[in-house]
Short mmCIF file of all heavy atoms in Angstrom, two decimals:
data_model
loop_
_atom_site.label_atom_id
_atom_site.label_comp_id
_atom_site.label_asym_id
_atom_site.label_seq_id
_atom_site.Cartn_x
_atom_site.Cartn_y
_atom_site.Cartn_z
N ASP B 57 116.58 -94.03 -33.31
CA ASP B 57 116.40 -92.77 -32.56
C ASP B 57 115.73 -91.73 -33.46
O ASP B 57 115.91 -90.53 -33.24
CB ASP B 57 117.72 -92.26 -32.01
CG ASP B 57 118.73 -91.94 -33.11
OD1 ASP B 57 118.41 -92.16 -34.29
OD2 ASP B 57 119.82 -91.45 -32.78
N SER B 58 114.98 -92.20 -34.45
CA SER B 58 114.40 -91.29 -35.42
C SER B 58 113.37 -90.33 -34.81
O SER B 58 113.11 -89.26 -35.34
CB SER B 58 113.75 -92.08 -36.55
OG SER B 58 112.79 -92.99 -36.04
N GLN B 59 112.76 -90.72 -33.68
CA GLN B 59 111.76 -89.86 -33.06
C GLN B 59 112.32 -89.03 -31.92
O GLN B 59 111.57 -88.31 -31.26
CB GLN B 59 110.61 -90.74 -32.52
CG GLN B 59 109.88 -91.53 -33.59
CD GLN B 59 109.14 -90.63 -34.55
OE1 GLN B 59 109.58 -90.39 -35.66
NE2 GLN B 59 108.01 -90.12 -34.12
N LEU B 60 113.60 -89.11 -31.69
CA LEU B 60 114.21 -88.36 -30.58
C LEU B 60 114.55 -86.94 -31.04
O LEU B 60 115.30 -86.78 -32.00
CB LEU B 60 115.48 -89.08 -30.11
CG LEU B 60 116.13 -88.57 -28.83
CD1 LEU B 60 115.28 -88.99 -27.63
CD2 LEU B 60 117.54 -89.12 -28.69
N PRO B 61 114.00 -85.92 -30.38
CA PRO B 61 114.34 -84.53 -30.76
C PRO B 61 115.77 -84.23 -30.36
O PRO B 61 116.05 -83.82 -29.23
CB PRO B 61 113.33 -83.69 -29.95
CG PRO B 61 112.30 -84.65 -29.45
CD PRO B 61 113.00 -85.97 -29.31
N LYS B 62 116.66 -84.40 -31.28
CA LYS B 62 118.09 -84.41 -30.93
C LYS B 62 118.65 -83.04 -30.57
O LYS B 62 119.76 -82.94 -30.04
CB LYS B 62 118.89 -85.01 -32.09
CG LYS B 62 118.52 -86.47 -32.36
CD LYS B 62 119.35 -87.06 -33.47
CE LYS B 62 118.89 -88.47 -33.80
NZ LYS B 62 117.51 -88.51 -34.30
N ASP B 63 117.88 -81.98 -30.84
CA ASP B 63 118.39 -80.66 -30.47
C ASP B 63 118.42 -80.48 -28.96
O ASP B 63 119.25 -79.75 -28.42
CB ASP B 63 117.55 -79.56 -31.12
CG ASP B 63 116.08 -79.66 -30.75
OD1 ASP B 63 115.61 -80.77 -30.40
OD2 ASP B 63 115.39 -78.63 -30.81
N ARG B 64 117.53 -81.19 -28.26
CA ARG B 64 117.49 -81.01 -26.80
C ARG B 64 117.51 -82.32 -26.02
O ARG B 64 117.74 -82.32 -24.81
CB ARG B 64 116.24 -80.21 -26.42
CG ARG B 64 116.19 -78.81 -26.99
CD ARG B 64 114.96 -78.05 -26.53
NE ARG B 64 113.72 -78.74 -26.94
CZ ARG B 64 112.93 -79.39 -26.12
NH1 ARG B 64 113.23 -79.44 -24.83
NH2 ARG B 64 111.84 -79.96 -26.56
N PHE B 65 117.25 -83.41 -26.68
CA PHE B 65 117.20 -84.70 -26.01
C PHE B 65 118.47 -85.49 -26.32
O PHE B 65 118.96 -85.47 -27.45
CB PHE B 65 116.00 -85.52 -26.47
CG PHE B 65 114.67 -85.07 -25.93
CD1 PHE B 65 114.15 -83.82 -26.26
CD2 PHE B 65 113.94 -85.90 -25.11
CE1 PHE B 65 112.92 -83.41 -25.77
CE2 PHE B 65 112.70 -85.50 -24.62
CZ PHE B 65 112.20 -84.25 -24.95
N SER B 66 118.95 -86.20 -25.33
CA SER B 66 120.06 -87.12 -25.55
C SER B 66 119.87 -88.34 -24.66
O SER B 66 119.16 -88.28 -23.64
CB SER B 66 121.41 -86.46 -25.24
OG SER B 66 121.48 -86.12 -23.87
N ALA B 67 120.43 -89.45 -25.06
CA ALA B 67 120.31 -90.67 -24.27
C ALA B 67 121.61 -91.44 -24.36
O ALA B 67 122.37 -91.29 -25.31
CB ALA B 67 119.14 -91.53 -24.77
N GLU B 68 121.84 -92.23 -23.35
CA GLU B 68 123.01 -93.10 -23.39
C GLU B 68 122.72 -94.38 -22.64
O GLU B 68 121.86 -94.42 -21.74
CB GLU B 68 124.24 -92.41 -22.81
CG GLU B 68 124.11 -91.96 -21.37
CD GLU B 68 125.36 -91.21 -20.90
OE1 GLU B 68 126.18 -90.79 -21.75
OE2 GLU B 68 125.51 -91.06 -19.69
N ARG B 69 123.41 -95.41 -23.05
CA ARG B 69 123.29 -96.70 -22.39
C ARG B 69 124.68 -97.32 -22.34
O ARG B 69 125.01 -98.24 -23.06
CB ARG B 69 122.32 -97.63 -23.12
CG ARG B 69 121.94 -98.85 -22.30
CD ARG B 69 121.08 -99.82 -23.05
NE ARG B 69 120.71 -100.94 -22.19
CZ ARG B 69 120.25 -102.10 -22.64
NH1 ARG B 69 120.09 -102.30 -23.95
NH2 ARG B 69 119.92 -103.05 -21.78
N LEU B 70 125.48 -96.75 -21.47
CA LEU B 70 126.85 -97.22 -21.33
C LEU B 70 126.85 -98.65 -20.81
O LEU B 70 126.03 -99.01 -19.96
CB LEU B 70 127.61 -96.30 -20.37
CG LEU B 70 127.67 -94.83 -20.81
CD1 LEU B 70 128.36 -93.99 -19.75
CD2 LEU B 70 128.38 -94.69 -22.15
N LYS B 71 127.71 -99.48 -21.33
CA LYS B 71 127.86 -100.87 -20.91
C LYS B 71 126.62 -101.71 -21.21
O LYS B 71 126.52 -102.85 -20.75
CB LYS B 71 128.21 -100.97 -19.43
CG LYS B 71 129.51 -100.25 -19.06
CD LYS B 71 129.83 -100.39 -17.59
CE LYS B 71 131.11 -99.64 -17.25
NZ LYS B 71 131.42 -99.70 -15.80
N GLY B 72 125.67 -101.14 -21.94
CA GLY B 72 124.52 -101.93 -22.35
C GLY B 72 123.60 -102.39 -21.23
O GLY B 72 122.87 -103.36 -21.40
N VAL B 73 123.61 -101.69 -20.11
CA VAL B 73 122.74 -102.10 -19.00
C VAL B 73 121.75 -100.96 -18.72
O VAL B 73 120.78 -100.81 -19.45
CB VAL B 73 123.55 -102.48 -17.75
CG1 VAL B 73 122.62 -102.94 -16.62
CG2 VAL B 73 124.53 -103.59 -18.08
N ASP B 74 122.04 -100.14 -17.71
CA ASP B 74 121.10 -99.06 -17.41
C ASP B 74 121.27 -97.91 -18.40
O ASP B 74 122.26 -97.83 -19.12
CB ASP B 74 121.22 -98.61 -15.96
CG ASP B 74 122.61 -98.18 -15.58
OD1 ASP B 74 123.55 -98.47 -16.35
OD2 ASP B 74 122.76 -97.54 -14.52
N SER B 75 120.27 -97.05 -18.41
CA SER B 75 120.24 -95.98 -19.41
C SER B 75 119.79 -94.67 -18.77
O SER B 75 119.07 -94.66 -17.78
CB SER B 75 119.26 -96.36 -20.54
OG SER B 75 119.12 -95.31 -21.48
N THR B 76 120.23 -93.58 -19.38
CA THR B 76 119.84 -92.24 -18.94
C THR B 76 119.29 -91.48 -20.13
O THR B 76 119.87 -91.52 -21.22
CB THR B 76 121.05 -91.48 -18.36
OG1 THR B 76 121.62 -92.23 -17.29
CG2 THR B 76 120.61 -90.13 -17.82
N LEU B 77 118.18 -90.80 -19.91
CA LEU B 77 117.58 -89.91 -20.91
C LEU B 77 117.66 -88.49 -20.36
O LEU B 77 117.28 -88.25 -19.22
CB LEU B 77 116.13 -90.29 -21.17
CG LEU B 77 115.35 -89.41 -22.15
CD1 LEU B 77 115.88 -89.58 -23.57
CD2 LEU B 77 113.86 -89.77 -22.12
N LYS B 78 118.18 -87.57 -21.17
CA LYS B 78 118.36 -86.20 -20.70
C LYS B 78 117.65 -85.22 -21.62
O LYS B 78 117.58 -85.43 -22.83
CB LYS B 78 119.86 -85.84 -20.66
CG LYS B 78 120.67 -86.67 -19.69
CD LYS B 78 122.15 -86.31 -19.74
CE LYS B 78 122.96 -87.18 -18.80
NZ LYS B 78 124.41 -86.91 -18.88
N ILE B 79 117.14 -84.15 -21.01
CA ILE B 79 116.56 -83.05 -21.76
C ILE B 79 117.27 -81.78 -21.32
O ILE B 79 117.36 -81.50 -20.12
CB ILE B 79 115.04 -82.89 -21.50
CG1 ILE B 79 114.31 -84.22 -21.68
CG2 ILE B 79 114.46 -81.85 -22.44
CD1 ILE B 79 112.83 -84.15 -21.31
N GLN B 80 117.79 -81.04 -22.29
CA GLN B 80 118.47 -79.80 -21.95
C GLN B 80 118.44 -78.84 -23.14
O GLN B 80 119.03 -79.15 -24.19
CB GLN B 80 119.93 -80.08 -21.56
CG GLN B 80 120.69 -78.83 -21.13
CD GLN B 80 122.04 -79.13 -20.52
OE1 GLN B 80 122.51 -80.27 -20.53
NE2 GLN B 80 122.68 -78.12 -19.97
N PRO B 81 117.77 -77.71 -23.03
CA PRO B 81 116.93 -77.28 -21.92
C PRO B 81 115.50 -77.78 -22.06
O PRO B 81 115.03 -78.02 -23.17
CB PRO B 81 116.97 -75.75 -22.06
CG PRO B 81 117.04 -75.55 -23.55
CD PRO B 81 117.86 -76.70 -24.09
N ALA B 82 114.81 -77.94 -20.96
CA ALA B 82 113.42 -78.40 -21.00
C ALA B 82 112.49 -77.28 -21.44
O ALA B 82 112.72 -76.10 -21.13
CB ALA B 82 113.00 -78.94 -19.64
N GLU B 83 111.43 -77.66 -22.17
CA GLU B 83 110.40 -76.72 -22.58
C GLU B 83 109.06 -77.15 -21.97
O GLU B 83 108.90 -78.29 -21.56
CB GLU B 83 110.29 -76.69 -24.10
CG GLU B 83 111.56 -76.20 -24.79
CD GLU B 83 111.45 -76.23 -26.31
OE1 GLU B 83 110.44 -76.78 -26.82
OE2 GLU B 83 112.38 -75.71 -26.97
N LEU B 84 108.12 -76.22 -21.96
CA LEU B 84 106.81 -76.52 -21.36
C LEU B 84 106.18 -77.75 -22.00
O LEU B 84 105.56 -78.58 -21.33
CB LEU B 84 105.88 -75.32 -21.50
CG LEU B 84 106.28 -74.06 -20.74
CD1 LEU B 84 105.31 -72.92 -21.05
CD2 LEU B 84 106.32 -74.31 -19.23
N GLY B 85 106.35 -77.90 -23.31
CA GLY B 85 105.75 -79.01 -24.04
C GLY B 85 106.38 -80.36 -23.75
O GLY B 85 105.87 -81.39 -24.21
N ASP B 86 107.45 -80.38 -22.97
CA ASP B 86 108.08 -81.65 -22.61
C ASP B 86 107.38 -82.32 -21.43
O ASP B 86 107.71 -83.45 -21.08
CB ASP B 86 109.56 -81.42 -22.24
CG ASP B 86 110.37 -80.93 -23.43
OD1 ASP B 86 110.02 -81.26 -24.57
OD2 ASP B 86 111.36 -80.20 -23.19
N SER B 87 106.43 -81.63 -20.83
CA SER B 87 105.69 -82.23 -19.71
C SER B 87 104.97 -83.47 -20.21
O SER B 87 104.17 -83.42 -21.15
CB SER B 87 104.66 -81.23 -19.16
OG SER B 87 105.31 -80.13 -18.57
N ALA B 88 105.27 -84.60 -19.59
CA ALA B 88 104.75 -85.90 -20.03
C ALA B 88 105.24 -86.95 -19.05
O ALA B 88 105.98 -86.66 -18.12
CB ALA B 88 105.23 -86.23 -21.45
N VAL B 89 104.81 -88.19 -19.30
CA VAL B 89 105.38 -89.33 -18.57
C VAL B 89 106.39 -90.00 -19.48
O VAL B 89 106.09 -90.29 -20.64
CB VAL B 89 104.29 -90.33 -18.16
CG1 VAL B 89 104.91 -91.56 -17.50
CG2 VAL B 89 103.29 -89.68 -17.20
N TYR B 90 107.58 -90.23 -18.96
CA TYR B 90 108.64 -90.88 -19.73
C TYR B 90 108.76 -92.32 -19.23
O TYR B 90 109.06 -92.57 -18.06
CB TYR B 90 109.95 -90.09 -19.59
CG TYR B 90 109.84 -88.77 -20.31
CD1 TYR B 90 109.23 -87.66 -19.68
CD2 TYR B 90 110.27 -88.62 -21.62
CE1 TYR B 90 109.08 -86.46 -20.35
CE2 TYR B 90 110.13 -87.41 -22.30
CZ TYR B 90 109.52 -86.35 -21.66
OH TYR B 90 109.37 -85.16 -22.33
N LEU B 91 108.49 -93.24 -20.14
CA LEU B 91 108.45 -94.66 -19.79
C LEU B 91 109.66 -95.37 -20.37
O LEU B 91 110.06 -95.13 -21.51
CB LEU B 91 107.20 -95.31 -20.36
CG LEU B 91 105.86 -94.85 -19.78
CD1 LEU B 91 104.72 -95.24 -20.71
CD2 LEU B 91 105.64 -95.46 -18.41
N CYS B 92 110.21 -96.26 -19.59
CA CYS B 92 111.28 -97.12 -20.05
C CYS B 92 110.75 -98.54 -20.12
O CYS B 92 109.93 -98.96 -19.27
CB CYS B 92 112.46 -97.04 -19.07
SG CYS B 92 113.87 -98.10 -19.49
N ALA B 93 111.16 -99.29 -21.11
CA ALA B 93 110.76 -100.69 -21.24
C ALA B 93 111.98 -101.50 -21.67
O ALA B 93 112.92 -100.96 -22.25
CB ALA B 93 109.63 -100.84 -22.26
N SER B 94 111.94 -102.78 -21.37
CA SER B 94 113.02 -103.64 -21.83
C SER B 94 112.44 -104.97 -22.31
O SER B 94 111.31 -105.34 -21.95
CB SER B 94 114.06 -103.88 -20.73
OG SER B 94 113.55 -104.70 -19.69
N SER B 95 113.21 -105.64 -23.14
CA SER B 95 112.81 -106.97 -23.61
C SER B 95 114.06 -107.80 -23.83
O SER B 95 115.16 -107.27 -24.00
CB SER B 95 111.98 -106.87 -24.91
OG SER B 95 112.73 -106.31 -25.95
N ALA B 96 113.86 -109.12 -23.84
CA ALA B 96 115.01 -110.02 -23.93
C ALA B 96 115.61 -110.02 -25.32
O ALA B 96 116.77 -110.38 -25.50
CB ALA B 96 114.59 -111.43 -23.53
N GLY B 97 114.82 -109.66 -26.32
CA GLY B 97 115.32 -109.61 -27.68
C GLY B 97 114.70 -108.42 -28.39
O GLY B 97 113.89 -107.69 -27.82
N SER B 98 115.05 -108.22 -29.62
CA SER B 98 114.57 -107.04 -30.34
C SER B 98 113.28 -107.29 -31.09
O SER B 98 112.69 -106.35 -31.61
CB SER B 98 115.64 -106.57 -31.33
OG SER B 98 115.93 -107.59 -32.26
N SER B 99 112.82 -108.51 -31.14
CA SER B 99 111.59 -108.77 -31.88
C SER B 99 110.39 -108.77 -30.95
O SER B 99 110.24 -109.68 -30.14
CB SER B 99 111.66 -110.13 -32.59
OG SER B 99 110.39 -110.49 -33.11
N PRO B 100 109.50 -107.76 -31.08
CA PRO B 100 108.31 -107.74 -30.22
C PRO B 100 107.37 -108.88 -30.54
O PRO B 100 106.44 -109.15 -29.80
CB PRO B 100 107.66 -106.40 -30.53
CG PRO B 100 108.70 -105.59 -31.21
CD PRO B 100 109.57 -106.57 -31.92
N VAL B 101 107.61 -109.57 -31.65
CA VAL B 101 106.76 -110.71 -32.00
C VAL B 101 107.00 -111.84 -31.03
O VAL B 101 106.11 -112.56 -30.63
CB VAL B 101 107.06 -111.18 -33.44
CG1 VAL B 101 106.24 -112.40 -33.78
CG2 VAL B 101 106.79 -110.06 -34.42
N VAL B 102 108.24 -111.97 -30.62
CA VAL B 102 108.62 -113.10 -29.77
C VAL B 102 108.78 -112.69 -28.32
O VAL B 102 108.36 -113.38 -27.42
CB VAL B 102 109.93 -113.72 -30.28
CG1 VAL B 102 110.36 -114.89 -29.40
CG2 VAL B 102 109.78 -114.18 -31.72
#
Side-chain angles (χ1 to χ4, degrees):
Chain B
D57 62 357
S58 56
Q59 299 294 102
L60 190 73
K62 297 182 185 63
D63 57 336
R64 297 183 300 107
F65 285 64
S66 64
E68 60 183 16
R69 192 185 183 197
L70 301 176
K71 301 180 181 177
V73 181
D74 56 346
S75 175
T76 303
L77 177 69
K78 297 178 182 177
I79 309 175
Q80 183 170 8
E83 297 178 352
L84 295 176
D86 295 331
S87 294
V89 175
Y90 291 83
L91 293 163
C92 178
S94 70
S95 63
S98 60
S99 169
V101 177
V102 179

